[in-house]
Amino acid sequence: VELKQEMARSLLKTSPNPVKTKLLHQIGLSLYNTSHGFHEEEVKKKLEQFPGGSVDLQKENNGIGILTLNNPSKMNAFSGVMMLQLLEKVIELENWTEGKGLIVRGAKNTFSSGSDLNAVKALGTPEDGVAVCMFMQNTLTRFMRLPLISVALVQGWALGGGAEVTTACDFRLMTSESEIRFVHKEMGIIPSWGGATRLVEIIGSRQALKVLSGALKLDSKKALHIGMVEDILQSSDETECLKEAQEWLQQFTTGPPEVIRALKKSVASCKELCLEEALQSERDLLGTVWGGPANLEAVARKGKFHK
């Protein structure tokens, strides 16, 4: 086994693979920079003018994090400061090497009603809109690339930008009376935080077009039927449904962090790459776990792999 591990390391060192470094270190990589006309510090200065609420992160010892959108007086709408805090929490999660999973939820029995209208009204020019769009696309793409298996726990309403945030998670769970709705058409805009792109990947282009152009109200049954969510939770109580979500996620996060994280990276990279690059990424990720402690222990315990 030691010989195989050494061979894998040797191949990784010598193989000509321009995407290897980009992929294995893509955590923290942003979509937009100054070459795209995106000036992050300027956008941050504008956003910090709109206070209210917070984005809270709790990291559990079992490797499961809980990210809470907390602005209950406005149905957890994103203020400018909350957008900034979301980026801060994503950076914190990028550096959480023991993490395996993440639950995203809203405070006080509702998910999020999208953007705070005070900020929307003040940032009224196309230039402002595109700048915030690039900021949030950067943040949610970094979120999506986290080596954590993520699930959105939808209670109450996930509207507009709130609906978009759910699409950045790997999975979605809903309580029976909750609702997801992309209301952008009624606001005279389209999704701007990457939600349309991710929605197509989740439910396909035909269903996505219906959901977006119809501004459809997706109750839990409809969302389950079209493949938007994985399951409908039994409880509607805030504490109980969080417990249910934790138990649901546990089935996918049981195991050594390095293995769970490599699996998530492998699947996430496929969304962004062509076949050849995705296969090379899978090979490089394998080199990080093959012959590692979890692999050696499993081989010693079982003697052979059981299919």
Side-chain angles (χ1 to χ4, degrees):
V1 174
E2 287 179 8
L3 180 61
K4 287 180 180 176
Q5 190 175 15
E6 192 55 45
M7 287 172 65
R9 286 185 185 135
S10 174
L11 280 167
L12 281 172
K13 286 176 185 172
T14 58
S15 59
N17 179 14
V19 300
K20 179 184 73 179
T21 304
K22 180 180 78 175
L23 285 166
L24 291 183
H25 302 284
Q26 70 180 358
I27 294 173
L29 191 67
S30 292
L31 281 176
Y32 303 110
N33 52 43
T34 51
S35 68
H36 303 94
F38 177 64
H39 303 279
E40 185 171 309
E41 292 309 312
E42 290 178 18
V43 179
K44 284 182 174 179
K45 284 177 184 174
K46 286 187 177 182
L47 290 175
E48 66 189 16
Q49 295 171 34
F50 306 100
S54 63
V55 176
D56 308 323
L57 177 61
Q58 183 181 339
K59 292 182 287 190
E60 304 284 351
N61 291 333
N62 62 358
I64 305 296
I66 301 169
L67 189 75
T68 304
L69 310 176
N70 192 352
N71 192 10
S73 66
K74 295 192 174 182
M75 287 177 56
N76 302 324
F78 274 86
S79 65
V81 166
M82 286 174 69
M83 293 182 193
L84 296 175
Q85 287 186 4
L86 180 63
L87 176 58
E88 289 169 8
K89 301 307 180 190
V90 168
I91 291 168
E92 188 176 340
L93 288 166
E94 287 172 349
N95 293 298
W96 186 31
T97 54
E98 299 84 23
K100 298 189 285 184
L102 183 69
I103 296 170
V104 182
R105 64 170 187 164
K108 305 294 183 187
N109 295 299
T110 199
F111 190 79
S112 172
S113 58
S115 297
D116 183 349
L117 287 179
N118 289 334
V120 171
K121 288 173 185 174
L123 300 168
T125 69
E127 291 76 17
D128 285 335
V130 169
V132 174
C133 162
M134 288 193 282
F135 180 85
M136 288 300 289
Q137 282 191 11
N138 270 354
T139 300
L140 290 174
T141 299
R142 287 174 71 166
F143 175 90
M144 196 174 66
R145 290 171 173 166
L146 287 169
L148 309 171
I149 298 176
S150 58
V151 59
L153 167 54
V154 182
Q155 288 183 274
W157 288 278
L159 306 176
E164 293 193 67
V165 170
T166 73
T167 67
C169 294
D170 298 310
F171 304 110
R172 284 145 296 282
L173 298 171
M174 294 176 77
T175 56
S176 59
E177 77 294 343
S178 59
E179 182 181 293
I180 298 173
R181 191 180 182 206
F182 293 81
V183 296
H184 304 78
K185 183 183 79 165
E186 296 188 353
M187 299 298 294
I189 57 171
I190 65 170
S192 58
W193 299 355
T197 301
R198 294 187 298 267
L199 185 65
V200 169
E201 202 262 326
I202 294 165
I203 61 173
S205 59
R206 287 171 60 241
Q207 289 287 7
L209 189 57
K210 290 179 189 176
V211 167
L212 295 172
S213 63
L216 300 184
K217 295 179 180 180
L218 298 178
D219 61 28
S220 55
K221 289 181 181 176
K222 172 77 170 172
L224 185 65
H225 177 69
I226 66 171
M228 182 74 188
V229 300
E230 300 301 312
D231 209 348
I232 302 170
L233 300 177
Q234 298 295 312
S235 177
S236 296
D237 175 75
E238 190 170 29
T239 306
E240 284 300 311
C241 70
L242 176 59
K243 187 179 174 184
E244 271 191 75
Q246 288 171 314
E247 289 173 357
W248 186 90
L249 185 57
Q250 195 77 40
Q251 64 186 310
F252 304 111
T253 56
T254 300
E258 67 273 14
V259 176
I260 304 300
R261 291 164 70 87
L263 284 168
K264 167 62 191 282
K265 284 183 191 176
S266 179
V267 172
S269 68
C270 293
K271 294 180 181 178
E272 303 185 45
L273 302 170
C274 70
L275 175 64
E276 185 178 345
E277 288 176 326
L279 289 170
Q280 290 172 348
S281 171
E282 189 173 303
R283 176 202 63 191
D284 295 337
L285 287 164
L286 176 68
T288 69
V289 291
W290 186 280
N295 177 227
L296 292 176
E297 184 188 332
V299 171
R301 185 173 65 247
K302 295 189 177 180
K304 62 180 180 179
F305 291 108
H306 297 286
K307 290 191 176 180

